[in-house]
Amino acid sequence: MTYVDLSAGSAAAGGSHSLGGYLAVPQGQGPFPGVVMIHEAFGLDDQTRRQADRLAGAGYLTLALDLFSDGGARRCLVGTMRAMAARTGKPFVDIATARTWLEQSDLCTGKTGVIGFCMGGGFALLVARDAFDAASVNYGRLPGKHQEDLVDALRGSCPLVGNYGGADRSLKGAAARLDSALDQLGIEHSVKEFPGAGHSFLNDEMPGPALLRPLMRVMGVGPDPASAPEAWRRIEDYFGRHLKD
């Protein structure tokens, strides 16, 4: 895995001044389809790097972007979440910078997807209409309070695969609402709710600081080895159809 400095392009466009990310390169001879990966609310950590490695192993040039590059989670989280709610601001510039970097890389075919988890899933949903060829939204929060807000935010989206947990107390009914909105818009999609899974069920370890993990277990947050393999297969199959073929 290689650190990538994206600061010049991002800062010039109004994004993060210290923007960077970790690039996971597939084995073999490229070029490869590119994927921008957006991390959970805890930031670009070892969990995210392993997820990037996993996608690289499936043949995708994966750039795991650090949306907290300018100061870490403590300084950047609130502003990042506010930008997501407003649907504008530095994080969107940063994601576009990462997409452009991949598209212009000699290692990339020019086709790009976006994948996000938790907070990153919310961003992946919002940027799915911003020149990506496919999107993977994993337990991402839906924009707006009303269904018409969601429909408006998704208008013009690329093909999308979504994975949600039925035991995720923070996102009850989100999968059905997303599925309905995409149906209404006629956007190609595959959204599934896994009944026994909670939030962050695609992780291979509990997320966040150790002190918070007992509370997260009570809330049903964390890995679900029973559901994760199928969810990952869905992601790889969907990306395979839209980014490789």
Side-chain angles (χ1 to χ4, degrees):
M1 189 172 289
T2 304
Y3 178 79
V4 175
D5 184 354
L6 304 168
S7 58
S10 181
S16 296
H17 290 278
S18 303
L19 185 64
Y22 283 87
L23 184 69
V25 181
Q27 292 185 350
Q29 186 171 357
F32 311 98
V35 174
V36 176
M37 178 173 285
I38 312 173
H39 54 73
E40 296 183 334
F42 297 109
L44 177 55
D45 54 13
D46 288 341
Q47 174 68 68
T48 311
R49 294 182 185 96
R50 289 194 298 272
Q51 288 168 333
D53 284 340
R54 181 182 186 122
L55 273 187
Y60 300 95
L61 182 68
T62 306
L63 178 53
L65 191 62
D66 185 0
L67 290 184
F68 301 154
S69 295
D70 276 354
R74 289 187 180 181
R75 291 182 59 186
C76 298
L77 177 58
V78 172
T80 301
M81 296 300 288
R82 285 176 178 168
M84 182 165 66
R87 305 181 204 174
T88 187
K90 284 202 307 182
F92 295 94
V93 175
D94 293 345
I95 294 166
T97 299
R99 187 196 68 241
T100 300
W101 188 93
L102 283 172
E103 288 173 343
Q104 294 177 351
S105 169
D106 291 339
L107 289 173
C108 184
T109 62
K111 282 200 168 187
T112 57
V114 60
I115 184 170
F117 308 89
C118 179
M119 179 193 78
F123 276 109
L125 190 62
L126 291 172
V127 302
R129 61 184 186 180
D130 294 343
F132 286 103
D133 296 293
S136 173
V137 176
N138 301 288
Y139 29 90
R141 187 168 297 279
L142 307 184
K145 295 182 179 180
H146 306 290
Q147 193 68 3
E148 56 265 30
D149 298 327
L150 176 59
V151 170
D152 182 64
L154 294 175
R155 202 176 304 279
S157 293
C158 61
L160 185 150
V161 57
N163 295 302
Y164 286 81
D168 186 344
R169 299 178 185 178
S170 66
L171 292 171
K172 284 188 175 295
R177 285 187 58 206
L178 178 58
D179 190 59
S180 175
L182 293 167
D183 274 341
Q184 181 177 336
L185 291 166
I187 292 168
E188 184 180 344
H189 66 283
S190 175
V191 178
K192 179 167 182 175
E193 183 178 88
F194 292 81
H199 202 74
S200 296
F201 75 92
L202 281 168
N203 286 6
D204 58 25
E205 66 177 10
M206 288 294 295
L211 287 175
L212 294 179
R213 291 179 182 179
L215 176 61
M216 289 184 178
R217 290 190 181 93
V218 172
M219 296 174 63
V221 177
D224 183 4
S227 303
E230 181 183 348
W232 277 113
R233 282 196 300 272
R234 284 167 43 76
I235 293 166
E236 291 175 15
D237 289 348
Y238 210 80
F239 277 2
R241 290 199 302 274
H242 294 282
L243 300 181
K244 289 184 177 180
D245 294 343

PDB file of all heavy atoms in Angstrom, residues 89-120:
ATOM      1  N   GLY A  89     -19.296  21.401   0.159  1.00  0.00           N
ATOM      2  CA  GLY A  89     -18.162  21.704   1.018  1.00  0.00           C
ATOM      3  C   GLY A  89     -16.935  20.881   0.704  1.00  0.00           C
ATOM      4  O   GLY A  89     -16.870  20.154  -0.300  1.00  0.00           O
ATOM      5  N   LYS A  90     -15.922  21.004   1.583  1.00  0.00           N
ATOM      6  CA  LYS A  90     -14.614  20.392   1.355  1.00  0.00           C
ATOM      7  C   LYS A  90     -14.654  18.889   1.060  1.00  0.00           C
ATOM      8  O   LYS A  90     -13.935  18.424   0.170  1.00  0.00           O
ATOM      9  CB  LYS A  90     -13.683  20.652   2.541  1.00  0.00           C
ATOM     10  CG  LYS A  90     -13.120  22.049   2.598  1.00  0.00           C
ATOM     11  CD  LYS A  90     -11.846  22.130   3.424  1.00  0.00           C
ATOM     12  CE  LYS A  90     -11.975  21.546   4.794  1.00  0.00           C
ATOM     13  NZ  LYS A  90     -10.724  21.696   5.587  1.00  0.00           N
ATOM     14  N   PRO A  91     -15.425  18.094   1.793  1.00  0.00           N
ATOM     15  CA  PRO A  91     -15.387  16.651   1.516  1.00  0.00           C
ATOM     16  C   PRO A  91     -15.765  16.303   0.081  1.00  0.00           C
ATOM     17  O   PRO A  91     -15.196  15.374  -0.505  1.00  0.00           O
ATOM     18  CB  PRO A  91     -16.410  16.073   2.510  1.00  0.00           C
ATOM     19  CG  PRO A  91     -16.494  17.071   3.601  1.00  0.00           C
ATOM     20  CD  PRO A  91     -16.307  18.398   2.948  1.00  0.00           C
ATOM     21  N   PHE A  92     -16.688  17.038  -0.483  1.00  0.00           N
ATOM     22  CA  PHE A  92     -17.105  16.756  -1.859  1.00  0.00           C
ATOM     23  C   PHE A  92     -16.008  17.145  -2.855  1.00  0.00           C
ATOM     24  O   PHE A  92     -15.806  16.455  -3.862  1.00  0.00           O
ATOM     25  CB  PHE A  92     -18.417  17.484  -2.168  1.00  0.00           C
ATOM     26  CG  PHE A  92     -19.574  16.987  -1.359  1.00  0.00           C
ATOM     27  CD1 PHE A  92     -19.917  17.608  -0.178  1.00  0.00           C
ATOM     28  CD2 PHE A  92     -20.285  15.870  -1.761  1.00  0.00           C
ATOM     29  CE1 PHE A  92     -20.977  17.144   0.589  1.00  0.00           C
ATOM     30  CE2 PHE A  92     -21.339  15.393  -1.008  1.00  0.00           C
ATOM     31  CZ  PHE A  92     -21.693  16.023   0.183  1.00  0.00           C
ATOM     32  N   VAL A  93     -15.297  18.230  -2.560  1.00  0.00           N
ATOM     33  CA  VAL A  93     -14.143  18.601  -3.381  1.00  0.00           C
ATOM     34  C   VAL A  93     -13.069  17.517  -3.279  1.00  0.00           C
ATOM     35  O   VAL A  93     -12.462  17.113  -4.280  1.00  0.00           O
ATOM     36  CB  VAL A  93     -13.574  19.962  -2.944  1.00  0.00           C
ATOM     37  CG1 VAL A  93     -12.297  20.292  -3.718  1.00  0.00           C
ATOM     38  CG2 VAL A  93     -14.602  21.063  -3.132  1.00  0.00           C
ATOM     39  N   ASP A  94     -12.834  17.033  -2.058  1.00  0.00           N
ATOM     40  CA  ASP A  94     -11.811  16.007  -1.846  1.00  0.00           C
ATOM     41  C   ASP A  94     -12.139  14.719  -2.602  1.00  0.00           C
ATOM     42  O   ASP A  94     -11.254  14.093  -3.204  1.00  0.00           O
ATOM     43  CB  ASP A  94     -11.675  15.711  -0.350  1.00  0.00           C
ATOM     44  CG  ASP A  94     -11.103  16.883   0.434  1.00  0.00           C
ATOM     45  OD1 ASP A  94     -10.557  17.805  -0.196  1.00  0.00           O
ATOM     46  OD2 ASP A  94     -11.214  16.865   1.677  1.00  0.00           O
ATOM     47  N   ILE A  95     -13.396  14.321  -2.559  1.00  0.00           N
ATOM     48  CA  ILE A  95     -13.800  13.090  -3.258  1.00  0.00           C
ATOM     49  C   ILE A  95     -13.644  13.261  -4.764  1.00  0.00           C
ATOM     50  O   ILE A  95     -13.154  12.361  -5.461  1.00  0.00           O
ATOM     51  CB  ILE A  95     -15.249  12.710  -2.889  1.00  0.00           C
ATOM     52  CG1 ILE A  95     -15.333  12.342  -1.401  1.00  0.00           C
ATOM     53  CG2 ILE A  95     -15.741  11.556  -3.750  1.00  0.00           C
ATOM     54  CD1 ILE A  95     -16.750  12.272  -0.856  1.00  0.00           C
ATOM     55  N   ALA A  96     -14.025  14.421  -5.276  1.00  0.00           N
ATOM     56  CA  ALA A  96     -13.859  14.683  -6.713  1.00  0.00           C
ATOM     57  C   ALA A  96     -12.378  14.701  -7.089  1.00  0.00           C
ATOM     58  O   ALA A  96     -11.992  14.215  -8.166  1.00  0.00           O
ATOM     59  CB  ALA A  96     -14.510  16.017  -7.077  1.00  0.00           C
ATOM     60  N   THR A  97     -11.537  15.238  -6.211  1.00  0.00           N
ATOM     61  CA  THR A  97     -10.091  15.245  -6.460  1.00  0.00           C
ATOM     62  C   THR A  97      -9.553  13.830  -6.556  1.00  0.00           C
ATOM     63  O   THR A  97      -8.738  13.511  -7.431  1.00  0.00           O
ATOM     64  CB  THR A  97      -9.363  16.007  -5.333  1.00  0.00           C
ATOM     65  OG1 THR A  97      -9.823  17.365  -5.306  1.00  0.00           O
ATOM     66  CG2 THR A  97      -7.856  15.988  -5.542  1.00  0.00           C
ATOM     67  N   ALA A  98     -10.009  12.960  -5.645  1.00  0.00           N
ATOM     68  CA  ALA A  98      -9.568  11.564  -5.661  1.00  0.00           C
ATOM     69  C   ALA A  98     -10.030  10.851  -6.925  1.00  0.00           C
ATOM     70  O   ALA A  98      -9.268  10.081  -7.534  1.00  0.00           O
ATOM     71  CB  ALA A  98     -10.096  10.838  -4.425  1.00  0.00           C
ATOM     72  N   ARG A  99     -11.265  11.115  -7.340  1.00  0.00           N
ATOM     73  CA  ARG A  99     -11.762  10.493  -8.575  1.00  0.00           C
ATOM     74  C   ARG A  99     -10.938  10.935  -9.778  1.00  0.00           C
ATOM     75  O   ARG A  99     -10.541  10.113 -10.616  1.00  0.00           O
ATOM     76  CB  ARG A  99     -13.233  10.857  -8.791  1.00  0.00           C
ATOM     77  CG  ARG A  99     -13.882  10.106  -9.958  1.00  0.00           C
ATOM     78  CD  ARG A  99     -15.183  10.733 -10.401  1.00  0.00           C
ATOM     79  NE  ARG A  99     -14.954  12.022 -11.005  1.00  0.00           N
ATOM     80  CZ  ARG A  99     -15.453  13.162 -10.549  1.00  0.00           C
ATOM     81  NH1 ARG A  99     -16.207  13.182  -9.472  1.00  0.00           N
ATOM     82  NH2 ARG A  99     -15.186  14.300 -11.167  1.00  0.00           N
ATOM     83  N   THR A 100     -10.660  12.220  -9.862  1.00  0.00           N
ATOM     84  CA  THR A 100      -9.870  12.738 -10.980  1.00  0.00           C
ATOM     85  C   THR A 100      -8.464  12.147 -10.976  1.00  0.00           C
ATOM     86  O   THR A 100      -7.920  11.804 -12.034  1.00  0.00           O
ATOM     87  CB  THR A 100      -9.809  14.275 -10.911  1.00  0.00           C
ATOM     88  OG1 THR A 100     -11.136  14.804 -10.991  1.00  0.00           O
ATOM     89  CG2 THR A 100      -8.966  14.838 -12.040  1.00  0.00           C
ATOM     90  N   TRP A 101      -7.877  12.027  -9.780  1.00  0.00           N
ATOM     91  CA  TRP A 101      -6.536  11.453  -9.690  1.00  0.00           C
ATOM     92  C   TRP A 101      -6.525  10.027 -10.238  1.00  0.00           C
ATOM     93  O   TRP A 101      -5.611   9.643 -10.994  1.00  0.00           O
ATOM     94  CB  TRP A 101      -6.060  11.469  -8.245  1.00  0.00           C
ATOM     95  CG  TRP A 101      -4.625  11.070  -8.080  1.00  0.00           C
ATOM     96  CD1 TRP A 101      -3.536  11.889  -8.037  1.00  0.00           C
ATOM     97  CD2 TRP A 101      -4.123   9.724  -7.952  1.00  0.00           C
ATOM     98  NE1 TRP A 101      -2.383  11.139  -7.901  1.00  0.00           N
ATOM     99  CE2 TRP A 101      -2.713   9.815  -7.844  1.00  0.00           C
ATOM    100  CE3 TRP A 101      -4.719   8.468  -7.912  1.00  0.00           C
ATOM    101  CZ2 TRP A 101      -1.899   8.689  -7.698  1.00  0.00           C
ATOM    102  CZ3 TRP A 101      -3.911   7.344  -7.776  1.00  0.00           C
ATOM    103  CH2 TRP A 101      -2.520   7.456  -7.668  1.00  0.00           C
ATOM    104  N   LEU A 102      -7.526   9.246  -9.863  1.00  0.00           N
ATOM    105  CA  LEU A 102      -7.595   7.878 -10.379  1.00  0.00           C
ATOM    106  C   LEU A 102      -7.789   7.858 -11.888  1.00  0.00           C
ATOM    107  O   LEU A 102      -7.113   7.119 -12.607  1.00  0.00           O
ATOM    108  CB  LEU A 102      -8.751   7.124  -9.702  1.00  0.00           C
ATOM    109  CG  LEU A 102      -8.515   6.636  -8.276  1.00  0.00           C
ATOM    110  CD1 LEU A 102      -9.811   6.090  -7.684  1.00  0.00           C
ATOM    111  CD2 LEU A 102      -7.427   5.560  -8.227  1.00  0.00           C
ATOM    112  N   GLU A 103      -8.715   8.665 -12.375  1.00  0.00           N
ATOM    113  CA  GLU A 103      -8.998   8.685 -13.814  1.00  0.00           C
ATOM    114  C   GLU A 103      -7.758   9.020 -14.636  1.00  0.00           C
ATOM    115  O   GLU A 103      -7.578   8.507 -15.745  1.00  0.00           O
ATOM    116  CB  GLU A 103     -10.098   9.715 -14.107  1.00  0.00           C
ATOM    117  CG  GLU A 103     -11.473   9.301 -13.634  1.00  0.00           C
ATOM    118  CD  GLU A 103     -12.487  10.422 -13.793  1.00  0.00           C
ATOM    119  OE1 GLU A 103     -12.081  11.596 -13.959  1.00  0.00           O
ATOM    120  OE2 GLU A 103     -13.692  10.125 -13.748  1.00  0.00           O
ATOM    121  N   GLN A 104      -6.899   9.869 -14.089  1.00  0.00           N
ATOM    122  CA  GLN A 104      -5.717  10.313 -14.828  1.00  0.00           C
ATOM    123  C   GLN A 104      -4.496   9.437 -14.601  1.00  0.00           C
ATOM    124  O   GLN A 104      -3.468   9.629 -15.247  1.00  0.00           O
ATOM    125  CB  GLN A 104      -5.401  11.763 -14.432  1.00  0.00           C
ATOM    126  CG  GLN A 104      -6.474  12.748 -14.859  1.00  0.00           C
ATOM    127  CD  GLN A 104      -6.199  14.171 -14.411  1.00  0.00           C
ATOM    128  OE1 GLN A 104      -5.274  14.424 -13.630  1.00  0.00           O
ATOM    129  NE2 GLN A 104      -6.994  15.109 -14.890  1.00  0.00           N
ATOM    130  N   SER A 105      -4.613   8.462 -13.708  1.00  0.00           N
ATOM    131  CA  SER A 105      -3.485   7.578 -13.428  1.00  0.00           C
ATOM    132  C   SER A 105      -3.268   6.585 -14.574  1.00  0.00           C
ATOM    133  O   SER A 105      -4.221   6.045 -15.144  1.00  0.00           O
ATOM    134  CB  SER A 105      -3.747   6.804 -12.130  1.00  0.00           C
ATOM    135  OG  SER A 105      -2.795   5.771 -11.965  1.00  0.00           O
ATOM    136  N   ASP A 106      -2.017   6.331 -14.885  1.00  0.00           N
ATOM    137  CA  ASP A 106      -1.694   5.339 -15.908  1.00  0.00           C
ATOM    138  C   ASP A 106      -2.122   3.938 -15.484  1.00  0.00           C
ATOM    139  O   ASP A 106      -2.254   3.048 -16.337  1.00  0.00           O
ATOM    140  CB  ASP A 106      -0.185   5.341 -16.176  1.00  0.00           C
ATOM    141  CG  ASP A 106       0.277   6.614 -16.869  1.00  0.00           C
ATOM    142  OD1 ASP A 106      -0.570   7.300 -17.486  1.00  0.00           O
ATOM    143  OD2 ASP A 106       1.476   6.929 -16.785  1.00  0.00           O
ATOM    144  N   LEU A 107      -2.334   3.740 -14.183  1.00  0.00           N
ATOM    145  CA  LEU A 107      -2.749   2.431 -13.676  1.00  0.00           C
ATOM    146  C   LEU A 107      -4.244   2.203 -13.781  1.00  0.00           C
ATOM    147  O   LEU A 107      -4.724   1.109 -13.490  1.00  0.00           O
ATOM    148  CB  LEU A 107      -2.324   2.278 -12.204  1.00  0.00           C
ATOM    149  CG  LEU A 107      -0.837   2.115 -11.929  1.00  0.00           C
ATOM    150  CD1 LEU A 107      -0.570   2.154 -10.424  1.00  0.00           C
ATOM    151  CD2 LEU A 107      -0.333   0.798 -12.523  1.00  0.00           C
ATOM    152  N   CYS A 108      -4.996   3.238 -14.187  1.00  0.00           N
ATOM    153  CA  CYS A 108      -6.459   3.159 -14.198  1.00  0.00           C
ATOM    154  C   CYS A 108      -6.995   3.111 -15.621  1.00  0.00           C
ATOM    155  O   CYS A 108      -6.497   3.791 -16.519  1.00  0.00           O
ATOM    156  CB  CYS A 108      -7.046   4.353 -13.454  1.00  0.00           C
ATOM    157  SG  CYS A 108      -8.843   4.323 -13.283  1.00  0.00           S
ATOM    158  N   THR A 109      -8.053   2.334 -15.803  1.00  0.00           N
ATOM    159  CA  THR A 109      -8.703   2.238 -17.115  1.00  0.00           C
ATOM    160  C   THR A 109      -9.498   3.485 -17.457  1.00  0.00           C
ATOM    161  O   THR A 109      -9.878   3.684 -18.610  1.00  0.00           O
ATOM    162  CB  THR A 109      -9.667   1.049 -17.138  1.00  0.00           C
ATOM    163  OG1 THR A 109     -10.693   1.252 -16.142  1.00  0.00           O
ATOM    164  CG2 THR A 109      -8.942  -0.263 -16.864  1.00  0.00           C
ATOM    165  N   GLY A 110      -9.777   4.307 -16.450  1.00  0.00           N
ATOM    166  CA  GLY A 110     -10.634   5.466 -16.644  1.00  0.00           C
ATOM    167  C   GLY A 110     -12.017   5.273 -16.073  1.00  0.00           C
ATOM    168  O   GLY A 110     -12.753   6.234 -15.858  1.00  0.00           O
ATOM    169  N   LYS A 111     -12.382   4.010 -15.808  1.00  0.00           N
ATOM    170  CA  LYS A 111     -13.654   3.745 -15.136  1.00  0.00           C
ATOM    171  C   LYS A 111     -13.446   3.823 -13.635  1.00  0.00           C
ATOM    172  O   LYS A 111     -12.458   3.301 -13.108  1.00  0.00           O
ATOM    173  CB  LYS A 111     -14.198   2.371 -15.518  1.00  0.00           C
ATOM    174  CG  LYS A 111     -14.857   2.339 -16.881  1.00  0.00           C
ATOM    175  CD  LYS A 111     -15.789   1.143 -16.995  1.00  0.00           C
ATOM    176  CE  LYS A 111     -16.667   1.275 -18.223  1.00  0.00           C
ATOM    177  NZ  LYS A 111     -17.708   0.218 -18.273  1.00  0.00           N
ATOM    178  N   THR A 112     -14.383   4.466 -12.930  1.00  0.00           N
ATOM    179  CA  THR A 112     -14.230   4.627 -11.492  1.00  0.00           C
ATOM    180  C   THR A 112     -15.528   4.348 -10.757  1.00  0.00           C
ATOM    181  O   THR A 112     -16.618   4.687 -11.232  1.00  0.00           O
ATOM    182  CB  THR A 112     -13.774   6.060 -11.131  1.00  0.00           C
ATOM    183  OG1 THR A 112     -14.715   7.003 -11.646  1.00  0.00           O
ATOM    184  CG2 THR A 112     -12.382   6.353 -11.662  1.00  0.00           C
ATOM    185  N   GLY A 113     -15.383   3.766  -9.581  1.00  0.00           N
ATOM    186  CA  GLY A 113     -16.496   3.568  -8.670  1.00  0.00           C
ATOM    187  C   GLY A 113     -16.208   4.237  -7.350  1.00  0.00           C
ATOM    188  O   GLY A 113     -15.087   4.689  -7.097  1.00  0.00           O
ATOM    189  N   VAL A 114     -17.227   4.305  -6.499  1.00  0.00           N
ATOM    190  CA  VAL A 114     -17.058   4.852  -5.163  1.00  0.00           C
ATOM    191  C   VAL A 114     -17.706   3.897  -4.175  1.00  0.00           C
ATOM    192  O   VAL A 114     -18.758   3.323  -4.448  1.00  0.00           O
ATOM    193  CB  VAL A 114     -17.669   6.269  -5.042  1.00  0.00           C
ATOM    194  CG1 VAL A 114     -19.171   6.275  -5.339  1.00  0.00           C
ATOM    195  CG2 VAL A 114     -17.389   6.876  -3.675  1.00  0.00           C
ATOM    196  N   ILE A 115     -17.062   3.698  -3.031  1.00  0.00           N
ATOM    197  CA  ILE A 115     -17.595   2.839  -1.986  1.00  0.00           C
ATOM    198  C   ILE A 115     -17.408   3.531  -0.643  1.00  0.00           C
ATOM    199  O   ILE A 115     -16.388   4.186  -0.406  1.00  0.00           O
ATOM    200  CB  ILE A 115     -16.904   1.455  -1.982  1.00  0.00           C
ATOM    201  CG1 ILE A 115     -17.551   0.534  -0.945  1.00  0.00           C
ATOM    202  CG2 ILE A 115     -15.408   1.555  -1.753  1.00  0.00           C
ATOM    203  CD1 ILE A 115     -17.078  -0.917  -1.059  1.00  0.00           C
ATOM    204  N   GLY A 116     -18.429   3.423   0.213  1.00  0.00           N
ATOM    205  CA  GLY A 116     -18.327   4.042   1.518  1.00  0.00           C
ATOM    206  C   GLY A 116     -19.004   3.204   2.582  1.00  0.00           C
ATOM    207  O   GLY A 116     -19.907   2.403   2.298  1.00  0.00           O
ATOM    208  N   PHE A 117     -18.557   3.402   3.816  1.00  0.00           N
ATOM    209  CA  PHE A 117     -19.063   2.663   4.966  1.00  0.00           C
ATOM    210  C   PHE A 117     -19.475   3.661   6.043  1.00  0.00           C
ATOM    211  O   PHE A 117     -18.724   4.589   6.355  1.00  0.00           O
ATOM    212  CB  PHE A 117     -17.979   1.733   5.522  1.00  0.00           C
ATOM    213  CG  PHE A 117     -17.348   0.850   4.482  1.00  0.00           C
ATOM    214  CD1 PHE A 117     -16.244   1.282   3.761  1.00  0.00           C
ATOM    215  CD2 PHE A 117     -17.869  -0.405   4.200  1.00  0.00           C
ATOM    216  CE1 PHE A 117     -15.664   0.476   2.795  1.00  0.00           C
ATOM    217  CE2 PHE A 117     -17.300  -1.214   3.235  1.00  0.00           C
ATOM    218  CZ  PHE A 117     -16.191  -0.783   2.532  1.00  0.00           C
ATOM    219  N   CYS A 118     -20.669   3.469   6.625  1.00  0.00           N
ATOM    220  CA  CYS A 118     -21.133   4.347   7.705  1.00  0.00           C
ATOM    221  C   CYS A 118     -21.166   5.789   7.182  1.00  0.00           C
ATOM    222  O   CYS A 118     -21.849   6.074   6.199  1.00  0.00           O
ATOM    223  CB  CYS A 118     -20.237   4.163   8.923  1.00  0.00           C
ATOM    224  SG  CYS A 118     -20.631   5.177  10.359  1.00  0.00           S
ATOM    225  N   MET A 119     -20.453   6.709   7.790  1.00  0.00           N
ATOM    226  CA  MET A 119     -20.390   8.071   7.284  1.00  0.00           C
ATOM    227  C   MET A 119     -19.996   8.084   5.806  1.00  0.00           C
ATOM    228  O   MET A 119     -20.564   8.815   4.993  1.00  0.00           O
ATOM    229  CB  MET A 119     -19.376   8.885   8.086  1.00  0.00           C
ATOM    230  CG  MET A 119     -19.217  10.331   7.628  1.00  0.00           C
ATOM    231  SD  MET A 119     -17.766  11.154   8.345  1.00  0.00           S
ATOM    232  CE  MET A 119     -16.453  10.455   7.311  1.00  0.00           C
ATOM    233  N   GLY A 120     -19.017   7.267   5.464  1.00  0.00           N
ATOM    234  CA  GLY A 120     -18.581   7.177   4.077  1.00  0.00           C
ATOM    235  C   GLY A 120     -19.668   6.675   3.150  1.00  0.00           C
ATOM    236  O   GLY A 120     -19.722   7.050   1.976  1.00  0.00           O
TER     237      GLY A 120
END
